[in-house]
Amino acid sequence: MPKLLHGGDYNPDQWLDRPDILAKDILLMKEASINSATLGVFAWAALEPQEGNYQLGWLEDIINNLWDNGISTILATPSGAKPNWLAEKYPEARRVNRNGQRELAGERHNHCFTSPVYREKVSAINEKLAERFGTHPAVTLWHISNEYGGECFCDLCKDEFRKWLKNKHKTIENLNKSWWTSFWSHTYNSFEQISPPVPYGEQGLHGLVLDWKRFVTDQTLDFCKHEIEAVRKYSEKPVTTNFMEFFGGLNYFKFKDTIDVVSWDSYPAWHTKNDVTTSMTTSMAHDLMRSIKKQPFLMIESTPSTTNWQPISKLKKPGVHMLSSLMALAHGSDSVMYFQWRKSRGASEKFHGAVVDHFGGSETRVFQDVAAVGKKLLEISDLAGAEINPDIAIIYDWENRWAIETLRGQRNVGANYLDSISDHYRALWEMGIPVDIADCECDFSGYKLVIAPMLYMLRAGIEEKLRDFVKNGGILVGTYMTGQVDENDLCFLGGFPACGLGEVFGLWAEEMDALKDDERNSFLYQGKERFSRDFAELVHPKGAEVLGTYTKDFYAGHPALLKNQFGKGTAYYLATRPEADFCQSFYKDLTAELGIKGFEVEPGVVKSRRGKFVFTLDFNRLSADVKEEEI
Ligand code: GLA
Ligand code: ZN
């Protein structure tokens, strides 16, 4: 990235009959120090009003005009929403929902990823765009489609799923074994009998549910690659596709070799719950995005003021736009970009926040906040490209998450995988210590500390990687529910944590109790009572030192926190989910021991470093009025 980008989604296709507005846009963009516009995200109907009738002239004029005024373009492929002529003529392009209904035309993000016709039409328009603009100096990046997501249950997708299964399992006998289909007499005689999991069909075979989710990621990625291939015929410019933080439907790590730059759409629900917590979860999402390719990313969308889709969409209070923009930059973003530049007059997003609202001028508070961020980006433009290379990784694995969310176990009200990850994250974030978010396929050898909350499913050789990591001197923190199932969701026999991880942690986990939402157990750590929740595993040390024991229930006195020397390293095991104060003291000690430095700050302040810049985010100066207790 040559510099920090400031810009966002710009939809001149909605205003082609208003040259006065288009001219005003340029003036206002300059006033707000905008240097990049994202064009054409939903412009298919304007680019190809009838099949094969391409109208790219208006786009060329806009790109040139922006460029003449110092504003570059991120050019989108328009597959996120299809024109009506296409939906009408080619019903197979329309998605079939999980109830088996073929959707009507309209809305967006609802095409079939498998449909050959849709793929052909998308290729055709992408090629046209690439041919015309693929080497244009103004175009810096391709924005492939928009927020890929969702599933299609049409016959084409079902067939593709069966092919995918055949390729993975080879024979139906293997599949039956991997999915444990003898249960409830669900043995398949052929691949043709298999349908995707739906509420009125099979959902009890967890191997099926997981393979379907993996297939959806693979098929979406395949569609994305197909789009990129069309663009690549005429253009070598880098590509991105915009992600949605911890979106459950796709394993974003699988996209890392396909896209050149990670980008994402950040919409924290400011002022509806505790803003410090909101900042923490947003920071964790930024870190996830930076970790996918281990390089700076783009915050390609955010709202300058309010959204229009959260249950309650509050205005950003004074100062919050600057704070949230700096937060993105602190965690590795090379941009602050908006949805949207200008509010539309009609349709479903007319009241979504924008830099320019229906009033149309720059006198507004929101415009002035945006312009202030634009100025700030110019001041700190040296930040662009600065990498962050943490000593610590927290494992968040999408497939493990799917397995945890699918399992029917002892806490069907919520096993809280993501929350338990953020418990650990928060303690480090408060100290301003950078953290990577890694999945099981990542390489851990460069880290000093790896934290692996609820590593229920072992896949991609993670057990070997963690074993070697600790053996060679690394510090590992694991928790309850570790090493219970293989990648097909089959339980390991012979004791948990399985596959040699029991040896690494120096223990055997025999049973696990579930705690009701309002129930707490506790254990002593450094002479203080530390409360814990959700789960209480009953483990037997096999070499591990016991650092803390439960204080309540029939298992009072059983180990809750253990430490084991393994090779040159150390593995800690938390048999229960501690409250925040434990993580704070535990990680303070551990990072000090490892020589990992953060910042000493007053409460309510988070300081962190990126490149030569130190960011200080002062939450005490946030004009939020919601208190922690009110969450
Ligand atoms: C998403 C989409 C945008 C817009 C915004 C609204 O991020 O990509 O097109 O709908 O949400 O917040
Ligand atoms: Zn389909």
Side-chain angles (χ1 to χ4, degrees):
M1 288 295 149
K3 55 184 171 182
L4 299 173
L5 299 183
H6 190 220
D9 284 23
Y10 179 39
N11 301 307
D13 43 303
Q14 295 173 15
W15 302 95
L16 292 176
D17 59 347
R18 290 294 304 267
D20 56 322
I21 294 237
L22 298 179
K24 184 91 197 271
D25 281 334
I26 299 282
L27 295 178
L28 291 171
M29 283 183 188
K30 288 171 110 168
E31 198 177 331
S33 307
I34 296 291
N35 58 23
S36 174
T38 307
L39 292 171
V41 183
F42 294 111
W44 198 339
L47 297 166
E48 191 183 359
Q50 288 94 24
E51 188 170 13
N53 168 12
Y54 297 101
Q55 299 291 335
L56 309 192
W58 66 267
L59 182 56
E60 183 152 29
D61 291 346
I62 299 278
I63 292 176
N64 287 339
N65 196 20
L66 287 166
W67 188 230
D68 290 344
N69 286 283
I71 299 161
S72 60
T73 287
I74 294 178
L75 189 54
T77 66
S79 64
K82 51 192 159 0
N84 280 326
W85 59 258
L86 195 154
E88 181 189 27
K89 185 164 174 198
Y90 304 109
E92 71 162 57
R94 289 188 256 129
R95 199 170 274 186
V96 170
N97 64 27
R98 64 177 64 242
N99 299 318
Q101 277 170 322
R102 170 92 54 198
E103 292 181 2
L104 301 177
E107 298 296 336
R108 63 173 178 174
H109 303 157
N110 52 4
H111 50 272
C112 169
F113 291 119
T114 306
S115 158
V117 167
Y118 196 62
R119 286 181 175 225
E120 185 192 314
K121 295 293 152 195
V122 167
S123 278
I125 183 78
N126 289 6
E127 274 182 39
K128 288 280 172 207
L129 287 168
E131 188 178 12
R132 184 88 160 246
F133 306 111
T135 55
H136 194 298
V139 175
T140 51
L141 182 67
W142 287 98
H143 181 295
I144 304 294
S145 200
N146 192 67
E147 295 192 337
Y148 283 126
E151 305 163 320
C152 177
F153 297 84
C154 78
D155 289 342
L156 293 167
C157 286
K158 281 185 195 160
D159 278 352
E160 224 33 53
F161 179 46
R162 291 174 190 132
K163 273 191 222 154
W164 186 96
L165 290 172
K166 227 179 208 162
N167 186 41
K168 175 175 177 185
H169 297 276
K170 309 294 179 224
T171 67
I172 198 69
E173 290 76 22
N174 288 346
L175 177 141
N176 279 318
K177 270 196 187 156
S178 296
W179 291 1
W180 207 258
T181 58
S182 48
F183 181 79
W184 286 348
S185 208
H186 289 181
T187 308
Y188 293 104
N189 306 100
S190 70
F191 284 94
E192 285 60 45
Q193 287 175 348
I194 302 171
S195 280
V198 289
Y200 59 94
E202 177 69 276
Q203 292 194 118
L205 294 174
H206 292 168
L208 164 70
V209 175
L210 283 173
D211 273 350
W212 170 254
K213 287 178 183 291
R214 292 175 177 129
F215 163 76
V216 170
T217 288
D218 284 0
Q219 195 65 354
T220 307
L221 179 59
D222 189 66
F223 186 88
C224 176
K225 286 181 178 166
H226 178 85
E227 288 213 42
I228 294 169
E229 229 167 76
V231 165
R232 283 278 171 263
K233 285 194 181 145
Y234 299 98
S235 179
E236 286 308 313
K237 308 260 171 159
V239 299
T240 191
T241 185
N242 50 341
F243 293 154
M244 299 172 278
E245 51 176 311
F246 286 86
F247 173 60
L250 292 172
N251 178 356
Y252 287 146
F253 280 101
K254 295 276 183 196
F255 286 70
K256 70 176 159 197
D257 298 326
T258 299
I259 52 171
D260 300 305
V261 182
V262 169
S263 63
W264 81 287
D265 304 341
S266 176
Y267 293 99
W270 292 114
H271 316 310
T272 57
K273 38 190 183 181
N274 181 281
D275 283 320
V276 180
T277 304
T278 300
S279 301
M280 181 273 295
T281 51
T282 306
S283 299
M284 189 163 95
H286 285 309
D287 286 345
L288 169 69
M289 293 298 139
R290 190 195 64 246
S291 302
I292 289 175
K293 280 187 80 76
K294 286 192 69 70
Q295 68 187 30
F297 62 91
L298 298 176
M299 179 169 73
I300 209 160
E301 284 184 31
S302 64
T303 178
S305 60
T306 171
T307 71
N308 72 335
W309 50 264
Q310 289 161 354
I312 299 285
S313 296
K314 302 279 294 174
L315 294 177
K316 275 179 174 170
K317 293 181 191 284
V320 173
H321 182 55
M322 182 62 84
L323 179 125
S324 58
S325 301
L326 291 176
M327 189 188 304
L329 298 166
H331 286 267
S333 179
D334 271 353
S335 69
V336 175
M337 306 185 88
Y338 309 112
F339 178 87
Q340 48 190 340
W341 167 253
R342 180 183 279 278
K343 279 183 187 169
S344 56
R345 284 194 69 194
S348 67
E349 291 185 321
K350 60 183 177 293
F351 290 119
H352 190 288
V355 182
V356 183
D357 73 15
H358 298 126
F359 163 70
S362 63
E363 301 90 323
T364 60
R365 182 181 74 97
V366 169
F367 189 98
Q368 292 305 320
D369 279 357
V370 165
V373 166
K375 269 209 182 109
K376 179 65 74 189
L377 293 178
L378 291 173
E379 280 164 38
I380 61 171
S381 64
D382 282 1
L383 182 73
E387 293 198 352
I388 297 175
N389 292 304
D391 291 319
I392 304 176
I394 300 185
I395 300 185
Y396 160 70
D397 186 88
W398 251 284
E399 296 194 21
N400 183 47
R401 168 181 173 183
W402 294 336
I404 290 171
E405 287 174 355
T406 304
L407 80 88
R408 308 297 296 156
Q410 288 166 271
R411 269 190 56 92
N412 296 327
V413 292
N416 299 333
Y417 178 53
L418 276 172
D419 286 349
S420 83
I421 287 174
S422 65
D423 291 344
H424 298 260
Y425 178 86
R426 182 174 196 137
L428 297 160
W429 174 75
E430 285 172 347
M431 292 188 280
I433 294 176
V435 171
D436 273 347
I437 311 288
D439 84 342
C440 287
E441 292 176 30
C442 293
D443 172 18
F444 298 98
S445 50
Y447 297 107
K448 292 183 180 163
L449 169 62
V450 172
I451 304 165
M454 298 173 78
L455 190 61
Y456 165 70
M457 168 183 277
L458 301 182
R459 65 176 201 94
I462 186 70
E463 63 278 11
E464 281 303 311
K465 285 189 248 183
L466 292 182
R467 210 185 147 86
D468 289 348
F469 172 74
V470 182
K471 206 155 97 195
N472 296 326
I475 310 293
L476 172 66
V477 178
T479 75
Y480 54 94
M481 266 182 98
T482 289
Q484 302 198 342
V485 298
D486 70 9
E487 74 137 276
N488 290 309
D489 215 12
L490 292 181
C491 291
F492 292 112
L493 303 179
F496 306 143
C499 300
L501 286 180
E503 219 184 317
V504 175
F505 290 111
L507 55 88
W508 165 49
E510 184 184 344
E511 287 186 279
M512 190 168 70
D513 197 12
L515 275 61
K516 292 175 287 172
D517 278 348
D518 57 356
E519 197 180 349
R520 297 288 180 271
N521 206 313
S522 67
F523 60 93
L524 288 183
Y525 176 68
Q526 294 181 336
K528 265 203 198 149
E529 185 173 26
R530 313 291 176 156
F531 290 94
S532 78
R533 53 192 298 186
D534 290 3
F535 294 103
E537 219 174 37
L538 311 188
V539 307
H540 304 281
K542 286 172 83 180
E545 180 192 341
V546 177
L547 300 183
T549 56
Y550 292 114
T551 57
K552 296 192 184 72
D553 221 310
F554 75 90
Y555 41 88
H558 277 252
L561 174 66
L562 304 94
K563 176 182 181 180
N564 191 46
Q565 286 305 132
F566 182 79
K568 291 190 211 138
T570 308
Y572 291 87
Y573 195 86
L574 268 163
T576 184
R577 181 179 165 203
E579 300 276 16
D581 65 314
F582 167 80
C583 287
Q584 284 163 340
S585 15
F586 180 70
Y587 286 112
K588 197 164 185 236
D589 296 346
L590 206 53
T591 51
E593 206 180 299
L594 288 167
I596 301 172
K597 290 204 175 63
F599 291 89
E600 292 278 337
V601 284
E602 315 120 57
V605 174
V606 172
K607 237 177 174 180
S608 62
R609 179 185 299 281
R610 178 176 172 207
K612 62 178 190 190
F613 293 88
V614 172
F615 290 78
T616 306
L617 306 180
D618 186 347
F619 297 102
N620 299 316
R621 289 172 55 199
L622 244 177
S623 3
D625 47 17
V626 184
K627 302 225 162 49
E628 183 89 58
E629 314 75 73
E630 292 176 58
I631 299 171

